[in-house]
Each structure stands twice: as C-alpha cells, then as structure tokens.
Amino acid sequence: MSSPEKWTHPGPDAAPATAAKPTAEQVIAGLRATDEGGADLVQLLTPEGERVQHPDFDIDITAEELRGLYRDMVLVRRVDREANALQRKGELGIWVPLLGQEAAQIGAGRAMRPEDMAFPSYREHGIAWTRGVKPTDLLGIFRGTDNGTWDPVETRFHPYTIVIGNQVLNATGYAMGQKFDGKVGDADGEATICFFGDGATSQGDVHEGFVWAAVYDAPLVFFCQNNQWAISEPTERQSRLPLYQRARGYGFPGIRVDGNDVLATLAVTRWALEECRQGNGPILIEAFTYRMDAHTTSDDPSRYRLSDELELWKLKDPIERVKVHLVKQQWADHAFFESIEAEAERIAVELRDYCVTLPDPPAGRIFSEVYAEGNHVLEAQRDEFLAYHAGFAGGEH
Amino acid sequence: MAAPTMDRPAADATGVPAVQTLTIAKALNNGLRASMEANPKVIVMGEDVGKLGGVFRITDGLQKDFGEQRVLDTPLAESGIIGTAVGLAIRGYRPVCEIQFDGFIFPGFDQIVSQVAKLHFRTQGRIKVPMVIRVPFGGGIGAVEHHSESPESYFAHTAGLKVVSCSNPADAYWMIQQAIDCDDPVLFFEPKRRYYEKGEVDTTAAPGPLFASRTLRTGSDVTLVTYGPMVRTSLEAAAAAEEEGRSLEVVDLRSLSPLDLAPVYESVRRTGRLVVVTEAPSESSISSEIAAKVQQECFYSLQAPVLRVTGFDTPYPPSKLEEEFLPDLDRVLHAVDRSLAW
Ligand SMILES: Cc1ncc(C[n+]2csc(CCOP(=O)(O)OP(=O)(O)O)c2C)c(N)n1
C-alpha cells in the first residue's frame, strides 16, 4: 500500500480544480497516472490475458470456476445490452448501463456468501445476478411499474438506492447489527458489502459511513467502483488523491484493484469479506474500472469525454481477457463459447418478452404499503380515489 | 394502535406506587427504560446520550444499566445517526435516535424523507423500518439560534412517516413506548420547555391509542386545537376565559400525522368556532391543514372563519424576542374574542 508521502500537492501552476471543465491535458494526465491504476493496483490477469502473480492476493482458480465467471460476465453484459436496447425502443423509461464494469461486479458478487448482505447503488445489475435476483426483477424500476420487485430479505440484496450515498449509511448500520448479533469473529461470520461510485465519495453520507464503520468496527466492505466519471464529472473533481488512499484517514485499509480483472476483484473482495467476518473490518476497495457506455440512456458522453479514452479502455475489456486466457489455457473450446452465447440469447429474449408484457400496476398500488400499520387519513383518501375510479367503465384501470 | 403488549412488572410489586408524580423528562426516561427492559432489540443512539444522559438528561442512567451496545454515544453527524439506524432497523433492531435539538435535524433530513419514510413502500412491505426519532422541539428556553424551532410540518408532509407530540408526563411515558412498539417510523416531538413540568403518571392504567387526539377540557363557545408546548398555554387560556364567562373546549392533537380530526369536527359542530394554536410558523403547516379540513367538513356549522394563533413566518428570533414570537395566553384570548365577535 502506498504511503501518503507518495502524493504531492498539485502546486501553484496546476490548473485550478474549480475550472468549469477539465482540460484535455488534465484528462490525459489523469489517464497516464491511472493507466495501470498506479503502482498499487492489484492485478492477476492482464488485459492480454496473461496470468500474473501477486504477493498478497494470489488465488487458485480452476478451469471450471473461470468458465463460470466468464459465463456470468457474458450473460450480465447481454442483459445489460438488451435492457439498453429496450430503452431505445421506448420499452424502458431509462436504463443505467453496466458495460465495462462486469468484472468488478461479478468478482465482488461471487466473493460473497449467501449469508452476507449487499447494499447496491443503481448500476449493480451484475451483483444482482450473483445474488440470484432475476434480471426481470430489475425491470420494474426502469419501466416504471414498480420500485424493483426482488425480495431484499430473501436475496440479501437491498433495494436499489437512487439518492447518491444514502445506502452507505444504511449498510453501515446493518453491519453494526451483524456485529451486535455476535455474527463476527470467526470463519462462520457474516459481513456486509456496500457499492457506490467515485462521485458518491464526495457525499457526506459516505464520509459518515466511513466514520461510523471505523468507530464501531463494522464488518463492512466499502466497494467503490471508480468508473472514472460521475455523469460528466471526472474523478479529479471529487478527490485530490487516489480514492483508496482515503481509507487511511479513517483508520482502516484501502486497496485498489483492477476492476476489469475478475480474478483480482474476486481475490481482493474475498479477502476483504473474510477480514470483516473475522472482525478486522471495515475495508475500502476501489475497483479501478471504466463505464464504457453513457452514464444512463439520458446521458451524452460525447459532450465531455475524449474518444481516445474510450478506445484505451476498450483494450482493457474485462471479458475479452478472460476469453483469451481460457483459450490459451485450453480451458474452453469453441463449443463452450457458443453455448454461452446461446444461453445469453435465450435470457435476452426472456427479458424482452417479460418487459413488453409487464402490465401496468393497478391504480390502488399508489396507496399500497405506505405504512406498516396503516393510516386512517390515507385509507380514507384511497377509498375516495378508488370509488372515483370505479365510476369509470373498465373498473380499476 | 393497540396498547403496548410487552410484559411490565406490576408497579406495586416493585414497591413503586402505580401513580407517580413525574416530570415529562423523567416520564420519558422511565418509558424508554420500560421499552428497553421489555425488548432487547430496543437501542438508544445519539450524541451524548450515554454517559451524559443527553443534553436534557432524558436518557439518564440508561447506558449504565443497559451497556454501551444498547445506548450508543455516536459520532457527531445526524445523517449518520439516522442512516445507520435504518440499517439496524432492517437488521431487526428498534433504534430510538435522539436529535439533540430541533434545528439539527436537517442534516438528517435526506435520510428521513428518502429512506426512513419510503423503504416500506418501495419494497411493498418487505422491509419495515421501525424506528423512533426523538426531537426536543420548540422555543421558550432562551436558547441561541437553531435551538428553538418547530420543524414538525416538514415530516407530516412526508408519506411513510408518523409524527406525534406529547404534552404531559402521562402521555410522555406511554407515547414513547407506543412509538417504539409501532412498526412504522415515528418522529417523536418533545416539548422541551415543558420537560420539567410535573404531572401524574399511572403506570398500570392502560393507555389510549397513540395516533388519536384527546379532548382535555370540554366547553361550548370556542374550540381550541393544539399540541405539544402550546397545550398548557391553551389550557391556561381556557381557564382565564372561564373567569370571563366563556367556555372553551381544548383538544390536544397528540398525533400530527395521521391527524385524528374526528373529535375536532365533532367539537366544531357544537361550538361553531375554531382557533388553532401552535408555535410553528403558519404557512403551509399543520395549522393550515387543520383549517382546510375543518372548513371542508364543518362548513355549515362554522359561525366564524377558522383562526390561527401561531409563530410568525420568520426565522425563530433571538431569545430576547421570543416572548413576542411565541403565542401566549393573551394572543390566544384575543383570537377567541375575534372569533366570537364574528
Ligand atoms: C444526492 C444525489 N444527487 C444527484 C443525483 C443525480 N445523479 C445520479 S447518478 C450521479 C452521478 C453518480 O456518480 P458516481 O457516484 O460516480 O456513480 P456512477 O453512476 O458513475 O456509477 C448523479 C449526480 C443523485 N442521484 N443523488
């Protein structure tokens, strides 16, 4: 881990951090500095598909396990692309693409145990997949029929959180509860993992989450997917030093992993969750990755992003490197890749069919489950509304 | 809502008389203690609530008896207190958060309206957020700015939250326990300037429902509706009016969301006149809501427009001016005169 002495003040000649837009030079400088994620980046599989060793985080991986991770990433990407297309066809109001972040999410998600708890932001479709949430269950929130239909208790995958940073505090409290329940301290322990973006690190709630988790020794892995952009704001607009180094100021370890390397992400997250289970948490992981598509389908990255940057990151594609490695190792053949493609296609068709036939909820949904114990004022309002509705031909709708 | 279901030792068995004279502060303390004894999942958290017992000593002695894991002296950040309480509630705990003063709830506002209020609806009932947020509120204690505000309307405006306010020791004792028992999140507003006023608390008599208003004094000329610190002011006004031969009815709302206005409608249909008394500013507030609903429900019974006696639509003033800002007995009586003169 790098020492704070390594980073230096930008100096008086540096472009002001408050400039309206980062200069091209700033972006390129940032890219250079981060091209390999810096000296501290944990990597086990290079963009060329070469397996490399790491003194602290090496893992044994079988051919079958790696094929499984490859399958996860391909299927999740296919779901993501289909949902993106569904938005373009007007079937979804908006979609939040995951393209480029498959390794970060599958690596982290597959490091979890069933009894661990996950608190996502809104781009964690890959984590959802690893928690057994059906891709179709993600659609309600983006089609506007519901707020997400998975069961957060059964899947241990909290509802998507749209307000940036809120879930970090909720996760912290949950992890405190795990600790209070005596579920921390041995190999059978539980841990919580919380996902957020690089932009979120500027939010007070994230800072407060760091403070709380530290002072209560919460078994919590803070998993920051640094995809370089918060809509149009680059990471440089959020922090003067690499994000993982911030952990130090709160008194717990921070580590940067190649978020496009599924093996490294898996290894580091497994280690971090284990540390938490044993009572050595919290830990911050910065998964260094890149959002290859727009922030959402409403965004226009051509206004703020250099195309060179995208080209550079395409070379680091998280799926291609695994494919190359599988082939080099002779761990997978043509038939395997074709079978995964076919499976991806089936899932995409399922998703599309489900989406276009997803019915609008009944009007009474507006009033349902606002309170656990009811509220007579609201119930009167609902009854009046439903009676008014019933006055029209066709009943409820 | 049903009365608390938890077991509680019969007061006489422990040698404590069933009816005690307590301050609101001590009644809250006893109520918190009773809830914590009845349910190990109840935890108290906030700034200075442990060793110090809170700046008003409402949590006095609880940490000593229940330990540091059930009474958490937290870091100093309101969003953190409320946001982590959400996670604890999801995990099966029943957190009771103390916000030190009304004016400091705003850093936690985002968590309250975005997560606390909405998780049950968003998950269609799969996640409950049973937590209480205690807020000592209102003025009259000569404090510096941000220590005397009445922010209750912000929360009553938000679906998914329940908002209550106690005005006497007996209610303080029971309502805090009922709020903790409630599966919905409850904002619990405590009238800080009344903390040290005394009253009788019967710890054996079953309490009435939490989300219901209560008529404290019957009368036939004008109805006064109020809550929290203004209850006492209104009762005093009613006593003074009686000397002038006027009969005022006083209703303590107790629950600000949901509002239980049925007794108010019933009263206004008899008296034909309503004065709403609060110290919160009047614009877009609980008092506006009451005025709107009463004119809607009691239009033909009203002999005069609904009048309001409230704090002004200004920031809470420096303390040398708070006696001007806060409704007092004379302002209430003046409104009663205007109503009757219609
Ligand atoms: C409190 C808040 N402010 C603003 C927004 C609007 N918004 C949605 S996503 C986003 C950028 C978030 O960036 P980052 O945290 O890096 O996550 P990413 O989307 O890149 O994964 C913004 C500003 C929001 N959802 N919540």
Side-chain angles (χ1 to χ4, degrees):
Chain A
M1 218 155 295
S2 82
S3 64
E5 293 72 42
K6 275 179 89 173
W7 44 269
T8 50
H9 191 279
D13 298 332
T18 48
K21 220 176 162 192
T23 61
E25 290 71 29
Q26 276 177 312
V27 172
I28 299 291
L31 265 178
R32 273 209 203 98
T34 55
D35 183 23
E36 297 303 329
D40 303 314
L41 186 85
V42 178
Q43 190 179 68
L44 298 178
L45 192 61
T46 69
E48 293 76 31
E50 293 294 337
R51 188 78 165 75
V52 288
Q53 308 302 312
H54 190 280
D56 302 322
F57 293 104
D58 217 38
I59 50 167
D60 285 330
I61 192 92
T62 66
E64 196 188 339
E65 280 173 317
L66 194 60
R67 282 196 299 266
L69 295 171
Y70 175 83
R71 171 177 173 269
D72 285 338
M73 291 196 289
V74 171
L75 299 188
V76 159
R77 179 173 287 188
R78 188 66 188 88
V79 165
D80 180 70
R81 292 300 84 197
E82 190 61 29
N84 211 65
L86 282 165
Q87 193 282 334
R88 295 298 183 225
K89 290 181 72 181
E91 296 293 347
L92 294 176
I94 192 171
W95 181 249
V96 188
L98 133 119
L99 192 72
Q101 298 182 219
E102 295 87 351
Q105 295 194 15
I106 295 303
R110 289 296 178 208
M112 294 180 74
R113 293 192 194 154
E115 58 277 15
D116 294 333
M117 180 71 191
F119 283 78
S121 177
Y122 44 71
R123 200 188 294 280
E124 273 69 74
H125 321 315
I127 307 296
W129 171 261
T130 65
R131 298 311 281 165
V133 171
K134 295 195 299 287
T136 47
D137 274 338
L138 302 171
L139 292 177
I141 192 167
F142 299 108
R143 192 169 162 89
T145 54
D146 215 306
N147 303 99
T149 48
W150 64 92
D151 186 334
V153 180
E154 206 174 277
T155 58
R156 296 195 156 233
F157 185 65
H158 191 71
Y160 274 1
T161 301
I162 307 286
V163 185
I164 299 291
N166 275 185
Q167 79 280 9
V168 178
L169 277 170
N170 305 158
T172 307
Y174 191 91
M176 286 163 65
Q178 290 175 315
K179 175 125 195 264
F180 294 170
D181 288 346
K183 300 285 186 188
V184 175
D186 56 43
D188 296 330
E190 285 183 26
T192 296
I193 183 165
C194 181
F195 297 89
F196 53 93
D198 43 304
T201 62
S202 297
Q203 281 282 350
D205 277 11
V206 176
H207 165 78
E208 290 175 35
F210 287 176
V211 172
W212 248 259
V215 301
Y216 291 105
D217 293 325
L220 178 59
V221 177
F222 295 103
F223 194 98
C224 175
Q225 290 173 80
N226 178 0
N227 63 13
Q228 314 303 326
W229 294 95
I231 311 188
S232 69
E233 311 266 14
T235 311
E236 292 87 332
R237 189 52 51 85
Q238 319 292 341
S239 180
R240 204 180 241 190
L241 79 165
L243 295 175
Y244 74 100
Q245 289 182 1
R246 285 186 159 186
R248 202 184 164 93
Y250 297 89
F252 51 85
I255 185 165
R256 177 183 269 180
V257 64
D258 181 346
N260 283 22
D261 173 353
V262 71
L263 284 187
T265 312
L266 176 69
V268 168
T269 314
R270 238 185 219 163
W271 165 80
L273 286 166
E274 190 52 31
E275 284 289 289
C276 287
R277 280 187 204 105
Q278 297 286 355
N280 302 324
I283 286 166
L284 169 66
I285 297 174
E286 177 191 356
F288 201 78
T289 182
Y290 192 74
R291 154 166 73 70
M292 296 228 278
D293 202 342
H295 168 73
T296 68
T297 45
S298 311
D299 176 37
D300 175 9
S302 71
R303 283 171 170 256
Y304 57 84
R305 207 162 71 172
L306 301 177
S307 56
D308 284 359
E309 187 187 341
L310 180 60
E311 293 312 311
L312 183 110
W313 279 92
K314 276 186 187 162
L315 299 174
K316 302 173 179 220
D317 187 276
I319 299 185
E320 284 308 308
R321 67 175 81 179
V322 175
K323 188 171 187 179
V324 170
H325 188 68
L326 283 171
V327 171
K328 277 189 186 160
Q329 294 288 106
Q330 299 189 325
W331 280 357
D333 56 13
H334 190 60
F336 168 77
F337 294 118
E338 281 204 329
S339 75
I340 301 292
E341 287 307 320
E343 191 181 359
E345 221 35 53
R346 278 198 304 278
I347 290 176
V349 170
E350 238 175 73
L351 190 80
R352 194 184 321 145
D353 290 350
Y354 185 88
C355 182
V356 298
T357 55
L358 200 54
D360 287 351
R365 165 70 172 80
I366 295 172
F367 296 92
S368 97
E369 305 292 350
V370 178
Y371 292 91
E373 293 190 359
N375 171 326
H376 64 90
V377 174
L378 185 66
E379 279 146 23
Q381 198 174 69
R382 177 200 59 203
D383 293 347
E384 196 181 327
F385 169 81
L386 290 179
Y388 169 76
H389 237 267
F392 296 103
E396 265 247 301
H397 279 71
Chain B
M1 218 206 69
T5 49
M6 54 230 180
D7 291 335
R8 183 173 294 111
D12 44 349
T14 61
V16 180
V19 180
Q20 295 169 260
T21 302
L22 301 175
T23 60
I24 288 183
K26 184 61 180 160
L28 286 166
N29 180 273
N30 288 0
L32 285 167
R33 178 177 292 276
S35 285
M36 294 184 80
E37 274 165 1
N39 184 349
K41 290 296 187 182
V42 175
I43 57 177
V44 167
M45 53 200 287
E47 296 154 13
D48 307 301
V49 295
K51 283 212 174 62
L52 181 67
V55 289
F56 292 105
R57 312 289 183 266
I58 306 301
T59 56
D60 191 29
L62 297 179
Q63 192 181 62
K64 185 164 71 61
D65 296 336
F66 294 98
E68 291 189 5
Q69 197 166 293
R70 295 202 50 204
V71 181
L72 278 66
D73 268 326
T74 66
L76 208 169
E78 286 70 19
S79 196
I81 294 168
I82 293 159
T84 54
V86 170
L88 283 159
I90 294 170
R91 179 75 194 177
Y93 287 83
R94 286 190 176 255
V96 183
C97 304
E98 176 172 303
I99 299 299
Q100 207 155 63
F101 285 92
D102 35 60
F104 308 139
I105 199 164
F106 300 110
F109 192 78
D110 170 29
Q111 281 286 343
I112 298 174
V113 299
S114 304
Q115 303 305 326
V116 175
K118 298 200 176 93
L119 267 168
H120 192 266
F121 178 77
R122 287 211 329 257
T123 62
Q124 284 294 283
R126 291 184 180 110
I127 292 183
K128 288 187 177 39
V129 192
M131 58 187 277
V132 176
I133 302 172
R134 294 182 35 242
V135 190
F137 83 121
I141 63 163
V144 296
E145 55 182 345
H146 309 293
H147 288 70
S148 304
E149 300 180 10
S150 299
E152 57 273 18
S153 295
Y154 293 108
F155 304 101
H157 192 66
T158 299
L161 303 175
K162 288 179 173 168
V163 186
V164 302
S165 180
C166 58
S167 69
N168 60 68
D171 271 356
Y173 178 76
W174 287 114
M175 285 172 72
I176 188 66
Q177 296 179 66
Q178 292 172 311
I180 293 168
D181 275 357
C182 179
D183 276 345
D184 285 308
V186 179
L187 273 288
F188 195 92
F189 283 92
E190 300 170 1
K192 71 164 90 79
R193 79 158 131 156
R194 308 291 184 211
Y195 267 151
Y196 305 109
E197 292 178 5
K198 289 185 176 168
E200 284 190 348
V201 180
D202 184 342
T203 56
T204 54
L210 174 59
F211 301 107
S213 52
R214 186 182 297 147
T215 303
L216 297 182
R217 181 188 173 111
T218 51
S220 51
D221 295 335
V222 178
T223 306
L224 300 184
V225 173
T226 184
Y227 59 88
M230 281 295 124
V231 169
R232 175 168 155 187
T233 308
S234 301
L235 286 171
E236 284 171 357
E242 191 176 65
E243 287 172 15
E244 295 169 11
R246 285 170 176 173
S247 166
L248 306 190
E249 182 142 316
V250 180
V251 181
D252 179 359
L253 281 174
R254 299 170 80 255
S255 175
L256 311 182
S257 178
L259 279 170
D260 174 26
L261 291 182
V264 179
Y265 301 151
E266 189 271 325
S267 176
V268 170
R269 285 185 190 119
R270 276 189 290 104
T271 63
R273 293 181 163 83
L274 178 67
V275 175
V276 189
V277 186
T278 81
E279 61 178 78
S282 62
E283 283 287 290
S284 309
S285 66
I286 286 164
S287 65
S288 331
E289 179 65 20
I290 295 169
K293 285 208 166 120
V294 167
Q295 70 81 20
Q296 190 176 310
E297 294 298 322
C298 308
F299 188 69
Y300 290 109
S301 307
L302 283 168
Q303 307 289 317
V306 177
L307 298 179
R308 293 185 284 165
V309 183
T310 69
F312 301 114
D313 294 312
T314 65
Y316 196 87
S319 60
K320 294 291 183 205
L321 287 172
E322 67 181 342
E323 292 308 323
E324 306 293 333
F325 178 92
L326 293 170
D328 61 6
L329 188 135
D330 289 337
R331 266 172 70 194
V332 177
L333 289 176
H334 180 61
V336 166
D337 287 346
R338 281 172 57 215
S339 179
L340 283 165
W342 221 275

